[in-house]
Every structure is written in C-alpha cells, then in structure tokens.
Amino acid sequence: GIQVEQSPPDLILQEGANSTLRCNFSDSVNNLQWFHQNPWGQLINLFYIPSGTKQNGRLSATTVATERYSLLYISSSQTTDSGVYFCAVFSDYKLSFGAGTTVTVRA
Amino acid sequence: NAGVMQNPRHLVRRRGQEARLRCSPMKGHSHVYWYRQLPEEGLKFMVYLQKENIIDESGMPKERFSAEFPKEGPSILRIQQVVRGDSAAYFCASSPWGPGEAFFGQGTRLTVV
C-alpha cells in the first residue's frame, strides 16, 4: 500500500512564529487532505488539495503531485494552533494517514 | 447541513459484551469510512462502505468485527465479545464520492473494562 510520511514528528513554536510541515507520499494519489486534530480529539478539515496551492487565513498549503509531496504553512502561530496535524491521501479505495506532526505553540 | 454524526460519544463495555457504533453521514454522502485511533497514535483504516456494499475491508480484524451501511439508516460498526485491546477512539468519515473531500465525525471513545 501507499506510504505517507510526515515531518517533523514534533514541533514546538513560540506564539507568533511561522512553520512548515511536510507530507511525502510514495505513489500517485487522487486526493490529499490536511486535518488538524485538536486537544479534544476532533478532526478538523483544513485543506482538500490534490494539487496546487490554497490559502485559508493564516494557513496555506501546496501540493506538488508530480513530486509526491505536500506542504502546510502556519504563519503567526497562536496557542489555538496546538494539536496534531495529519496529512491523508486517497489511493486504493481508502484514505491513508501519515503519523502526524504534533505542534505545541507556547505563549 | 449537519456534519457527520456519531453516537454514542462514549461507550463503556465489559469484556465479552458487544459494542455497536453508529455513524450517520452528511446529507448527500453515500461513501462511509471507519477508522480506529489508539492513544497517541494515528488513524488506521478499517473499512470503506457504500450503500449496501462493502468496498474494502482490508483493515478490519478477521474476527469479531463487522460493518454495514444499509439502504436506510446509519452505518454500524459492530464489535462482538470485546477485549481490552479494543479500547480506542473509532472515527467515521463520509464523502460524496470516493476521492471526494472526506469529513469526520467526533468519534466514539470505546472503553473496555
């Protein structure tokens, strides 16, 4: 099956800092999504981005499908950005998740 | 448009009992996925269903676990004779078509005592 690797595994930020999270995948995909799992366990949709670039407020994402990676940018981080960020790709009839990046934003 | 609804939110079962987890997809969504998340771990695929059909159950344990998505009503994930190792958060997601954007419910936290 497809392999999804996320880096870094952990990230500690000072409030106001910028950061980049990376997602590599091992095969072509039909769909790529970024999710934020908040400290209460809820999975929040951030981006549906099979290719190209999208922006939503302080967050943006870029997927380069031909090179099999996606990047999630967080700018001017806030404490509410803390949680686990998951990348997930759709291939072989399933959405496969990476192991996630745990982000901690300190005030 | 209501989101994906899962119930119950929390479920406690004694070893050997049955657990039934329910998932109502978003309106207009006919594709449902179930995932399991162990503490401090990522989400593991269990099963992919369309109305009345199981498309891919490659992530389901061979015994005690079953899933259905009937023509009417919610999708059900059923775990028979639960064991402590079944304790986890179970998430359901739905999408309008296979590779379409998937949305997750709030999950069911199963605790086996």
Side-chain angles (χ1 to χ4, degrees):
Chain A
I2 194 167
Q3 304 299 311
V4 183
E5 295 182 354
Q6 291 187 241
S7 59
D10 299 281
L11 193 57
I12 298 175
L13 301 171
Q14 202 63 36
E15 198 169 30
N18 303 328
S19 63
T20 301
L21 284 59
R22 187 176 180 102
C23 172
N24 293 331
F25 43 96
S26 60
D27 206 346
S28 59
V29 298
N30 304 106
N31 166 16
L32 185 144
Q33 292 187 239
W34 284 97
F35 297 91
H36 175 217
Q37 188 168 38
N38 62 25
W40 295 270
Q42 189 176 3
L43 282 158
I44 309 297
N45 285 39
L46 297 178
F47 294 101
Y48 171 75
I49 186 167
S51 63
T53 298
K54 291 186 176 180
Q55 181 155 6
N56 184 1
R58 295 180 297 100
L59 301 181
S60 63
T62 295
T63 296
V64 183
T66 53
E67 297 186 23
R68 300 179 183 168
Y69 73 90
S70 183
L71 302 173
L72 178 70
Y73 305 95
I74 306 174
S75 64
S76 304
S77 57
Q78 301 177 356
T79 55
T80 52
D81 295 331
S82 295
V84 183
Y85 289 79
F86 289 107
C87 163
V89 300
F90 190 94
S91 178
D92 293 332
Y93 303 107
K94 63 177 71 72
L95 201 60
S96 298
F97 281 75
T101 293
T102 301
V103 173
T104 304
V105 181
R106 293 181 172 162
Chain B
N1 188 8
V4 178
M5 304 300 291
Q6 289 188 247
N7 66 80
R9 293 287 306 280
H10 300 275
L11 183 61
V12 179
R13 285 287 178 265
R14 295 186 182 279
R15 281 178 292 172
Q17 291 184 320
E18 177 180 289
R20 292 173 69 91
L21 287 61
R22 294 174 180 77
C23 170
S24 296
M26 288 179 68
K27 187 176 181 180
H29 287 193
S30 58
H31 298 248
V32 166
Y33 308 83
W34 285 92
Y35 289 81
R36 178 164 62 177
Q37 186 176 34
L38 295 170
E40 308 300 324
E41 293 190 10
L43 284 92
K44 303 299 183 188
F45 169 80
M46 298 182 75
V47 63
Y48 167 31
L49 309 106
Q50 294 180 27
K51 284 283 188 181
E52 301 184 274
N53 288 305
I54 296 174
I55 305 303
D56 185 336
E57 55 181 351
S58 58
M60 289 275 274
K62 293 286 185 281
E63 298 178 351
R64 304 188 297 109
F65 285 73
S66 62
E68 62 176 4
F69 188 16
K71 186 177 180 180
E72 302 291 337
S75 176
I76 305 289
L77 179 67
R78 182 183 179 204
I79 310 172
Q80 296 178 287
Q81 299 178 322
V82 296
V83 301
R84 288 227 172 105
D86 296 333
S87 296
Y90 293 83
F91 287 92
C92 164
S94 74
S95 69
W97 59 299
E101 185 173 8
F103 294 85
F104 279 80
Q106 292 188 300
T108 294
R109 272 75 180 168
L110 172 66
T111 302
V112 180
V113 297

